[in-house]
Amino acid sequence: MAASMKDVAARASVSLGTVSNVLNHPDLVATSTRLRVEEAIRDLGFIPSAAAQQLRAGRAKVLGLVVPDIANPYFMEVARGVEDAALESGYVVILCNSDEQAEREDRYLAVLESQRVGGILIAPVRKSLKPLSRLLQHGVAVTLLGNAAISHDVCSASVDDTLGGGLAAEHAIELGHTRLVWLAGPRDIPRVSDREAGLMKAARSAKVHVTRIAAAQMTTAAGDTAMDSALANGLDATALLCANDLLALGAIRALNRAGLKVPDDVSVIGYDDIEFAASAAVPLTSVRQPKYELGYAAAKLVIGECEDPATHAHQRVQFQPQLIVRASTAPSRPRTR
Amino acid sequence: MAASMKDVAARASVSLGTVSNVLNHPDLVATSTRLRVEEAIRDLGFIPSAAAQQLRAGRAKVLGLVVPDIANPYFMEVARGVEDAALESGYVVILCNSDEQAEREDRYLAVLESQRVGGILIAPVRKSLKPLSRLLQHGVAVTLLGNAAISHDVCSASVDDTLGGGLAAEHAIELGHTRLVWLAGPRDIPRVSDREAGLMKAARSAKVHVTRIAAAQMTTAAGDTAMDSALANGLDATALLCANDLLALGAIRALNRAGLKVPDDVSVIGYDDIEFAASAAVPLTSVRQPKYELGYAAAKLVIGECEDPATHAHQRVQFQPQLIVRASTAPSRPRTR
DNA sequence: GGGGTGAAATGAAACGTGTCAATTTGGCGA
DNA sequence: TCGCCAAATTGACACGTTTCATTTCACCCC
């Protein structure tokens, strides 16, 4: 249906090869011919078929972006960065929502393999690189998103989550809180475990006790539910540290329902600093990550590897998190119960 | 690098055509041969090249999703629906963030044309279908997202925005408000004009005056700024209706800074009912759209047209909006100034 | 036993591009 | 006038599929 190079060649009365040269090596073509071909291209509205180009090249100028939760504003901000970087280099982004399910992630990895994507940006569901090994063997550029590379086979762009967890814990400790609660996500989410490690380390060195509770997912609803049942089980704490902002927002809802005030009764700290953290019921103290920059850097990394795999050296880009103090945290005060 | 059908054929000692038959017409192949071929496929980890398939077929099993704001949770919820429907049918979604800029939209449409996508889901920046006409001529299935089709050349999946705007206005009017403010987005955003029309109609029939102010973008920040300067210009109203929730959240921030309480001094109504509307500083009264369902239905529509263009009849699927009343609206009370 | 039948497998062509060796053209010096 | 060189252009091939007309083969029936 769409015009092909053959049509262009016919209209400009030149050979196929010349059209190709006009597109890829204009300096090899006589000016007059070039102008004629370019006119034919305009007249026909010719746009090269990416599929044919890719078939020839072996790989597509396509990136796969695999995120665990498309509805989380955090990842969408990252996606914006990825997308901008991709568009700059003429790449296209395939959106893959693994929904925190290994099975779905696997399905998407197969799809991406079938698409012969040049690179994959992934915030993996599991810690292992095994599901990616086939892709890596086939020379697909993979960059880990959000957590530092485990192996030397891949690039990674991440934020220092250990530090971030530490920042959150130290803030709570400085405010005088002595009984911390860590609201984690489902076990094994790679990017959360570092936060937990940093937090626990800070707590240990301050000799502060931490109670760990876990939500079933990294969502507002799950945060609400988890806090609800924790409170029902008699959880008693003055500072709540959450694995991400969504959990925090959900937890605050549950706290309010239980008649607990934030920050008067409980201080709450989130993680990610999504846009809505600032306009939440109680503006949320949170650990900010440079989300857009993270996505942008990761995409540049992976595109760099695509374009020039030979000279590419795997890198780990790491950003620094930053604690943003808002209204949801306050000094610990003696209990009046 | 990756194994091809030729490799599979060689390993199973059959011809290329037979391998193809095993994949596409298994009933034409003797069972013993089929098993042998399938074994070879497994051994080699063969995955067909989507590019080659598409080159042959002329079109790719790929959808382009063009949204004006990837950071808006509304569109990401829609995207979830699109993505699920696509995955079910073996399609893949290319994410295109037009950022409300016509130029960016055009750029992406060219990219999608180059990718020879089978279908496009688009929440257009402009009202005209002109930028899409080339795609349509080439037989690309296009479905309009969010606003009803203007022409009969395309499908659309939308929510009745006229009704939605009316719901918002009627709610405010029922609460006794007589001076309404409509906080619109930048001029010409198609999906907003229907909301405005519905609102204005309801206001006219109730003989209520509406002041129109406009934000530069459909974002929290723009809502904040717009409300700020409106207040500085002496805007005085008791009910604020916003073109979407992000604007509403931003406007509330500005109102609070100006010392105005929501809903005591001003009632605020949003639009979209994004997840964070419920956990906002003041839980937001909003007009809910079935977002996931909208995306899902739109994707099914466009995939249907891709798969069987001949028998396809263009449709308009329209969902109903629903007013969700929360804490940000209250009865009008006599001014105490 | 020969001819016909249907199942199974084959091989070539086509999709649209990029590459590259081979060919043509024009200009210039001898 | 001839030959040579660089510049410009050509044409064939490969990439990995699918399709389809053709071939091969075993079997059954008269």
Side-chain angles (χ1 to χ4, degrees):
Chain A
M1 196 76 198
S4 75
M5 277 176 51
K6 212 193 304 187
D7 304 323
V8 174
R11 183 171 241 266
S13 316
V14 294
S15 77
L16 248 173
T18 302
V19 178
S20 174
N21 280 337
V22 169
L23 295 171
N24 303 303
H25 306 284
D27 46 314
L28 295 181
V29 178
T31 311
S32 64
T33 328
R34 204 192 61 221
L35 292 175
R36 209 158 27 121
V37 171
E38 285 171 347
E39 188 186 344
I41 289 180
R42 272 196 307 280
D43 291 352
L44 294 171
F46 165 74
I47 294 195
S49 154
Q53 290 179 322
Q54 147 178 13
L55 187 56
R56 189 81 233 293
R59 63 190 174 71
K61 292 187 95 174
V62 174
L63 303 181
L65 173 63
V66 188
V67 297
D69 182 9
I70 198 186
N72 185 338
Y74 168 73
F75 285 110
M76 284 306 99
E77 193 63 27
V78 174
R80 272 191 51 221
V82 171
E83 210 223 357
D84 282 354
L87 192 57
E88 276 176 20
S89 305
Y91 279 66
V92 143
V93 177
I94 291 183
L95 181 63
C96 308
N97 179 25
S98 68
D99 231 353
E100 213 77 83
Q101 297 165 30
E103 184 228 345
R104 243 181 105 111
E105 182 179 287
D106 291 341
R107 204 140 110 242
Y108 262 121
L109 290 179
V111 169
L112 294 177
E113 189 172 353
S114 159
Q115 296 287 333
R116 304 289 192 267
V117 298
I120 294 184
L121 298 157
I122 181 170
V125 170
R126 294 150 291 189
K127 281 206 172 130
S128 158
L129 284 183
K130 196 130 58 116
L132 292 166
S133 59
R134 281 182 42 129
L135 283 303
L136 288 169
Q137 269 174 20
H138 290 347
V140 177
V142 172
T143 290
L144 261 32
L145 206 55
N147 41 325
I150 311 136
S151 97
H152 295 281
D153 298 337
V154 295
C155 290
S156 68
S158 60
V159 179
D160 189 339
D161 276 338
T162 313
L163 174 55
L167 288 177
E170 282 160 17
H171 176 58
I173 293 164
E174 275 169 19
L175 288 172
H177 295 278
T178 51
R179 280 168 305 166
L180 270 43
V181 176
W182 166 239
L183 174 51
R187 48 143 104 249
D188 281 350
I189 295 196
R191 65 195 165 284
V192 168
S193 54
D194 282 351
R195 300 175 194 178
E196 182 168 326
L199 173 152
M200 292 300 181
K201 185 165 163 234
R204 260 198 311 279
S205 64
K207 305 243 189 330
V208 165
H209 181 251
V210 179
T211 307
R212 182 186 198 278
I213 60 180
Q217 304 171 66
M218 303 285 282
T219 63
T220 321
D224 188 329
T225 311
M227 183 49 56
D228 227 21
S229 60
L231 290 171
N233 290 335
L235 180 79
D236 173 36
T238 66
L240 175 66
L241 284 67
C242 304
N244 80 1
D245 283 350
L246 299 183
L247 290 177
L249 293 176
I252 290 179
R253 278 213 301 253
L255 289 170
N256 287 340
R257 267 204 314 279
L260 293 167
K261 295 258 183 210
V262 177
D264 301 343
D265 300 316
V266 185
S267 285
V268 177
I269 308 182
Y271 206 108
D272 289 348
D273 191 35
I274 61 175
E275 188 185 355
F276 302 96
S279 40
V282 182
L284 195 63
T285 296
S286 189
V287 179
R288 174 178 294 173
Q289 307 194 45
K291 303 176 266 293
Y292 181 91
E293 291 76 9
L294 181 69
Y296 191 89
K300 281 291 179 196
L301 227 46
V302 87
I303 291 172
E305 184 173 351
C306 286
E307 303 276 294
D308 195 354
T311 72
H312 176 84
H314 294 304
Q315 301 172 47
R316 304 183 187 187
V317 174
Q318 192 163 55
F319 291 92
Q320 298 306 309
Q322 187 188 357
L323 183 75
I324 306 292
V325 178
R326 296 206 184 82
S328 69
T329 45
S332 169
R333 36 165 226 186
R335 275 299 171 86
T336 57
R337 65 159 131 165
Chain B
M1 194 78 197
S4 75
M5 276 177 52
K6 213 196 299 186
D7 304 323
V8 174
R11 182 173 243 265
S13 318
V14 293
S15 77
L16 247 176
T18 302
V19 178
S20 172
N21 281 335
V22 169
L23 294 171
N24 303 301
H25 307 284
D27 45 315
L28 295 182
V29 179
T31 312
S32 64
T33 329
R34 203 192 64 220
L35 293 175
R36 206 156 29 115
V37 171
E38 285 170 346
E39 188 187 344
I41 289 179
R42 271 195 309 278
D43 291 352
L44 294 172
F46 165 75
I47 293 195
S49 154
Q53 290 178 322
Q54 145 177 13
L55 187 56
R56 191 79 233 292
R59 61 187 177 71
K61 292 188 93 173
V62 174
L63 304 180
L65 173 63
V66 187
V67 297
D69 181 8
I70 197 184
N72 186 336
Y74 168 73
F75 285 110
M76 283 307 99
E77 193 63 27
V78 174
R80 273 190 51 219
V82 171
E83 210 224 355
D84 282 354
L87 193 57
E88 276 176 20
S89 306
Y91 278 67
V92 145
V93 177
I94 291 183
L95 182 63
C96 308
N97 179 24
S98 69
D99 231 354
E100 213 77 83
Q101 298 166 29
E103 185 228 345
R104 242 181 106 111
E105 183 181 286
D106 291 341
R107 205 140 110 241
Y108 262 123
L109 290 178
V111 170
L112 294 179
E113 189 173 353
S114 160
Q115 295 287 333
R116 304 286 192 270
V117 297
I120 294 185
L121 298 157
I122 182 169
V125 170
R126 294 150 292 190
K127 279 203 174 132
S128 158
L129 284 183
K130 195 129 64 125
L132 292 166
S133 59
R134 281 181 42 132
L135 283 302
L136 287 169
Q137 269 173 22
H138 290 347
V140 177
V142 172
T143 289
L144 262 32
L145 207 56
N147 41 326
I150 312 136
S151 97
H152 294 283
D153 296 340
V154 295
C155 290
S156 69
S158 60
V159 178
D160 189 338
D161 275 339
T162 313
L163 175 55
L167 288 176
E170 282 161 17
H171 176 57
I173 292 165
E174 276 170 18
L175 289 172
H177 295 278
T178 52
R179 280 168 305 166
L180 271 43
V181 176
W182 166 238
L183 174 51
R187 47 142 103 247
D188 281 352
I189 294 196
R191 63 197 165 285
V192 168
S193 54
D194 282 351
R195 300 176 194 176
E196 182 168 326
L199 172 152
M200 291 301 181
K201 185 167 163 232
R204 262 198 311 279
S205 64
K207 305 242 189 327
V208 165
H209 181 254
V210 180
T211 307
R212 182 186 198 278
I213 59 180
Q217 304 172 64
M218 302 285 282
T219 63
T220 323
D224 188 328
T225 311
M227 182 50 54
D228 228 20
S229 61
L231 289 172
N233 289 335
L235 180 78
D236 173 37
T238 65
L240 175 66
L241 283 68
C242 303
N244 79 4
D245 283 350
L246 299 183
L247 289 177
L249 294 176
I252 291 178
R253 279 212 300 252
L255 289 169
N256 287 340
R257 268 203 316 278
L260 293 168
K261 295 260 182 206
V262 176
D264 300 342
D265 300 316
V266 186
S267 285
V268 177
I269 308 182
Y271 206 107
D272 288 349
D273 191 36
I274 62 176
E275 188 184 358
F276 302 96
S279 39
V282 183
L284 195 63
T285 295
S286 189
V287 178
R288 172 177 297 174
Q289 306 194 44
K291 302 175 267 293
Y292 180 92
E293 292 74 10
L294 181 69
Y296 190 89
K300 281 292 180 195
L301 227 46
V302 88
I303 291 173
E305 184 174 351
C306 286
E307 303 275 294
D308 194 354
T311 72
H312 176 83
H314 294 305
Q315 300 172 46
R316 303 182 187 187
V317 175
Q318 191 162 53
F319 292 91
Q320 298 306 311
Q322 188 188 357
L323 182 74
I324 306 291
V325 178
R326 297 204 182 83
S328 70
T329 45
S332 168
R333 35 164 227 188
R335 276 295 171 89
T336 55
R337 65 158 130 168

